[in-house]
Amino acid sequence: MYKARIFALRKLYENLVPYTYSKNYELQGIKGACGFDAEVITKNTQLYAGGAKGGKEIYPNIDQSGRRTTQFEVIVNSPDKPVALILGAYEPSIWNFAWTQGTKISAVVVTGYYRQAVAGLPKDTPLLISTHDNGGPCGFTYVADKNLTRITEISRNAFKREVTSVLHASLGSLVFGDQIDMGDKLFTSKDTPPEIFFDKSLPGKAGLDDLVRRGLIRKLTHQDTERWIRLKTDLSKIGSGRPSRSPEIPSLMFEPEYIYNGYVILEKITIPAKLYGADAATFFLQKGVPYPKGELGHSTLYDFNTMSCTGVNCAESRRRMRGAVGNVTSRSSIRP
């Protein structure tokens, strides 16, 4: 039960690393540093690095970055010596493992910019995923000639050694160890098939409708915008230190300038991907609700926690844009 719970948390919180000691009687724990226990690898362990900017494009995606997910097929053939790996890709990627009879994969570090996921390994394999996306303990990079120094740093931190060799993926494929013969049988684990990492959330308007159906957001009402205007007006009076007899600050100054397809965010959510053009929305984040994950696209968000606006249709942004256009027009109209 303990292992199953840690495995479930791995998918949600990849930088809280599920960690297994080499001795099977030790309890499994959480390790947040960029490293493994000294017993995970031995002097005999072969340490390789491999990857590329991206692998072979697949569908569906594994995150809502808007980037197409890629997949790497990783084969390890080293029946004589155990293997530890450092893998890295820039694009959101799945690393799908297979190995030959007698091969032992001692530990795996995966790094990259966007989300990375490891499929095909037994769930008790020591695994550390450190990306820009999850804020992992090793930082982030991907395997390319220009990043070899960074790969070496990760290797020294995680394994206290430098990698034996670095392989660049060809068409999304990597073979570590000896070459594979036609008759070699490959093994993989059903604990982590690639499809468990697929992002099943819907993009665009369909994604917004799904969030409404699940009670995570609701349609915006006139009362919601009135509350925003009232609070912004009150804050401006307090911040300006205006004397009591001074003219009232017009509340119209704080009216959201352009509201289209409005919603109130009621719970922690990930904003659906592809909110562009006609699918864009205006969000009001309820006070006390965490800021959502995901990309706004062409959408706008009014935050009741900070009383600030983010996105393309914030009144301040639109005023700045009009001012810039006005300045350019006035300058261009001058004649010598």
Side-chain angles (χ1 to χ4, degrees), residues 94-314:
I94 296 176
W95 303 84
N96 191 30
F97 272 80
W99 58 89
T100 56
Q101 180 73 43
T103 293
K104 175 178 173 54
I105 301 173
S106 299
V108 177
V109 176
V110 182
T111 183
Y113 191 86
Y114 294 99
R115 186 189 180 195
Q116 306 293 311
V118 177
L121 284 181
K123 60 186 178 184
D124 59 353
T125 301
L127 174 65
L128 196 161
I129 298 178
S130 181
T131 65
H132 178 273
D133 184 64
N134 71 11
C138 296
F140 63 94
T141 189
Y142 65 94
V143 173
D145 287 338
K146 64 180 180 179
N147 298 330
L148 294 183
T149 300
R150 187 74 188 95
I151 294 294
T152 299
E153 291 175 2
I154 293 176
S155 177
R156 288 172 177 169
N157 288 332
F159 298 112
K160 306 299 185 290
R161 285 170 45 189
E162 295 187 11
V163 295
T164 306
S165 62
V166 178
L167 302 182
H168 297 271
S170 175
L171 302 177
S173 296
L174 286 162
V175 178
F176 296 102
D178 302 328
Q179 289 297 315
I180 301 295
D181 295 328
M182 291 293 293
D184 289 337
K185 184 177 180 180
L186 297 179
F187 299 84
T188 190
S189 172
K190 295 182 180 180
D191 289 344
T192 53
E195 55 268 21
I196 70 172
F197 300 104
F198 292 161
D199 181 5
K200 298 179 176 61
S201 59
L202 300 171
K205 184 62 166 59
L208 295 172
D209 292 342
D210 183 57
L211 291 174
V212 171
R213 180 185 59 79
R214 293 158 57 192
L216 302 178
I217 66 174
R218 64 168 172 80
K219 282 287 189 178
L220 183 72
T221 66
H222 181 68
Q223 288 75 19
D224 297 313
T225 56
E226 287 296 319
R227 184 160 64 96
W228 175 268
I229 295 170
R230 184 175 67 255
L231 291 174
K232 288 288 284 186
T233 303
D234 291 345
L235 285 173
S236 69
K237 291 177 181 178
I238 295 171
S240 65
R242 298 168 68 88
S244 58
R245 293 184 180 180
S246 62
E248 288 291 323
I249 298 175
S251 59
L252 288 177
M253 285 183 58
F254 306 107
E255 182 176 354
E257 189 166 338
Y258 181 75
I259 295 180
Y260 173 77
N261 201 19
Y263 296 91
V264 177
I265 301 174
L266 306 173
E267 303 284 349
K268 183 178 180 180
I269 65 166
T270 297
I271 294 174
K274 300 183 180 180
L275 293 185
Y276 301 108
D279 285 341
T282 303
F283 297 103
F284 282 75
L285 182 64
Q286 196 82 288
K287 189 173 179 61
V289 177
Y291 197 89
K293 295 182 178 181
E295 301 292 333
L296 281 172
H298 290 163
S299 299
T300 304
L301 188 145
Y302 294 88
D303 188 347
F304 274 105
N305 293 296
T306 61
M307 297 307 298
S308 62
C309 177
T310 305
V312 296
N313 285 316
C314 295

Side-chain angles (χ1 to χ4, degrees), residues 312 316-326:
V312 296
E316 295 82 358
S317 300
R318 292 170 70 86
R319 280 195 290 269
R320 284 196 299 269
M321 290 175 63
R322 286 200 297 269
V325 172

